[in-house]
């Protein structure tokens, strides 16, 4: 049985204080403070190697910070990462989908993990939101990179997370799909979800978000 996660709805979606992450002798993140409120959309930018992906992975609890404190929806994400993950949806460079399964079958698998209620209805809804209805029953491995990215977006929003982390989500999407993604981001924010979007396309990212955090050599600048 999935464990119910109680969250403080009045707390910031993200509260990070003094986050650093070290790889061997190199510091990828240096004392980063960050607060993101419910419904807020943040663009994360900076040059290659600035620490954008590392910060997203720390926020996603895929990496443990070397130092610092992190709360997701009031949950201590350093001490209780499994509880925090239930509040997070992630679209990254990997799809986290099983290639031999169809998008619909992948969503059923993740739906069981998250204990999604009225699962078939919810699956149909997110497939429609991602523009994937016509290809929902083909093996993921047979889909184009753009269609796999759409399936990854559907997976990330299936359990209605409080926080969406998007690492270059436009990769592989054509112009129409990027426009649709922008509409989804706006809709998610209206529903009170927070979004952190990392992209090399500064103009595109800023058009979708409320404010911008610039990283350079692991620091806020």
């Amino acid at each position: 049985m999935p464990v119910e996660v109680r969250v403080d709805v009045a707390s910031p979606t993200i509260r990070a204080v003094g986050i650093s992450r070290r790889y061997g002798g190199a510091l990828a993140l240096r004392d980063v403070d960050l607060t993101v409120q419910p419904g807020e959309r943040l663009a994360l930018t900076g040059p290659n190697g600035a620490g954008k992906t590392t910060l997203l992975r720390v926020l996603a609890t895929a990496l443990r910070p070397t130092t610092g404190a992190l709360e997701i929806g009031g949950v201590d994400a350093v001490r209780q990462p499994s509880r925090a993950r239930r509040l997070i949806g992630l679209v990254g460079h990997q799809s986290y989908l099983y290639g031999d399964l169809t998008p619909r079958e992948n969503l059923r698998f993740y739906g069981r993990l998250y204990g999604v209620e009225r699962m078939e209805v919810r699956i149909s809804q997110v497939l429609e939101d991602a523009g994937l209805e016509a290809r929902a029953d083909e093996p993921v491995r047979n889909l184009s990179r753009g269609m796999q990215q759409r399936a990854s977006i559907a997976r990330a929003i299936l359990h209605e997370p409080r926080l969406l982390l998007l690492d270059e989500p436009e990769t592989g999407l054509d112009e129409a799909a990027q426009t649709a993604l922008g509409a989804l981001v706006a809709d998610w924010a209206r529903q009170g979800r927070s979004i952190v979007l990392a992209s090399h396309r500064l103009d595109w990212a800023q058009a979708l978000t409320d404010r911008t955090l610039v990283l350079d050599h692991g620091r806020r600048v």
Side-chain angles (χ1 to χ4, degrees), residues 27-43:
L27 269 175
L29 293 175
R30 303 166 183 258
D31 296 319
V32 175
D33 295 338
L34 176 63
T35 300
V36 177
Q37 300 295 339
E40 188 175 12
R41 299 168 295 171
L42 175 72

Side-chain angles (χ1 to χ4, degrees), residues 45-52 168 199-200 215-217:
T45 66
N48 287 334
K52 299 187 299 296
E168 299 183 2
S199 176
H200 292 298
L215 289 177
D216 190 21
H217 292 92

Side-chain angles (χ1 to χ4, degrees), residues 163-206:
L163 171 63
L164 282 157
L165 303 172
L166 310 177
D167 193 1
E168 299 183 2
E170 76 278 15
T171 302
L173 299 181
D174 58 25
E175 186 173 347
Q178 290 180 26
T179 300
L181 175 60
L184 277 177
V185 167
D187 186 54
W188 295 334
R190 283 192 294 270
Q191 295 172 31
R193 294 188 179 89
S194 304
I195 296 99
V196 179
L197 188 159
S199 176
H200 292 298
R201 297 180 55 196
L202 180 57
D203 291 345
W204 181 80
Q206 288 184 322

Side-chain angles (χ1 to χ4, degrees), residues 44-113:
L44 184 60
T45 66
N48 287 334
K52 299 187 299 296
T53 294
T54 298
L55 179 56
L56 279 183
R57 294 189 68 197
V58 168
L59 296 177
T61 74
L63 283 178
R64 185 183 179 91
T66 305
T67 61
L70 173 64
E71 291 183 359
I72 304 295
V75 176
D76 187 330
V78 177
R79 294 183 177 181
Q80 299 177 300
S82 60
R83 291 185 68 224
R85 284 183 201 122
R86 301 191 65 80
L87 307 176
I88 299 167
L90 172 65
V91 177
H93 296 289
Q94 294 178 289
S95 69
Y96 303 106
L97 299 171
Y98 293 95
D100 290 333
L101 300 181
T102 68
R104 194 184 307 276
E105 289 168 340
N106 270 282
L107 293 176
R108 284 176 182 147
F109 170 77
Y110 280 101
R112 286 192 291 271
L113 288 180

Side-chain angles (χ1 to χ4, degrees), residues 112-124:
R112 286 192 291 271
L113 288 180
Y114 284 110
V116 174
E117 297 181 357
R118 301 179 68 233
M119 186 162 58
E120 293 302 321
V121 173
R122 180 62 183 158
I123 287 173
S124 295

